[in-house]
Amino acid sequence: MRGPLLALLAVAPLALSGCLAKTAFDVATAPVRVASKAVDLATTSQAEADQKRGREIRQREERLGKLQRTYERQLKECHDGKRAACSNAQGTYAEIQLLMPSVPAEPEDPRRR
């Protein structure tokens, strides 16, 4: 009975040294892993920046479209003789003019030439 127990005790330090070495390695590299994860979370990738810019442009385009529809309706009402619609149309037109520079122009289609 003592033979197998002695053999197990002789092999145990060798087996445990691998576990201890791995634990020591994990402890030593933990700050680096944590720091790299923090940098990943703090920085924005180019793809994320592109998605954000695209979303902002779409929102401005939607706003511009809504303003243009409102302006056209107000102009029609103005031509029908409603004075309030005329002043509202002027305000809407001013807002359109402010928004226009922030909306990129559509690329020209070469097939339309």
Side-chain angles (χ1 to χ4, degrees):
M1 188 74 174
R2 281 190 144 161
L5 184 61
L6 287 176
L8 181 64
L9 286 176
V11 175
L14 296 174
L16 290 177
S17 67
C19 292
L20 292 175
K22 182 175 179 343
T23 302
F25 178 78
D26 289 344
V27 169
T29 59
V32 174
R33 287 195 312 268
V34 169
S36 69
K37 182 69 172 176
V39 168
D40 275 349
L41 293 175
T43 58
T44 304
S45 72
Q46 187 62 45
E48 291 168 331
D50 291 344
Q51 288 173 350
K52 182 179 178 185
R53 175 156 167 69
R55 188 171 31 256
E56 290 170 355
I57 289 172
R58 280 190 303 280
Q59 288 172 347
R60 280 182 260 160
E61 287 173 340
E62 289 171 7
R63 176 72 179 140
L64 183 60
K66 184 177 180 181
L67 284 172
Q68 287 175 335
R69 289 187 297 275
T70 301
Y71 178 67
E72 290 169 4
R73 180 181 41 82
Q74 290 168 341
L75 273 183
K76 183 179 181 297
E77 290 175 2
C78 179
H79 290 307
D80 290 341
K82 295 183 181 177
R83 288 180 169 241
C86 295
S87 65
N88 289 342
Q90 286 177 340
T92 303
Y93 183 76
E95 192 173 348
I96 288 171
Q97 293 306 309
L98 288 174
L99 189 60
M100 283 294 283
S102 68
V103 176
E106 291 293 321
E108 195 172 307
D109 189 359
R111 294 177 289 182
R112 289 192 165 186
R113 290 186 182 179

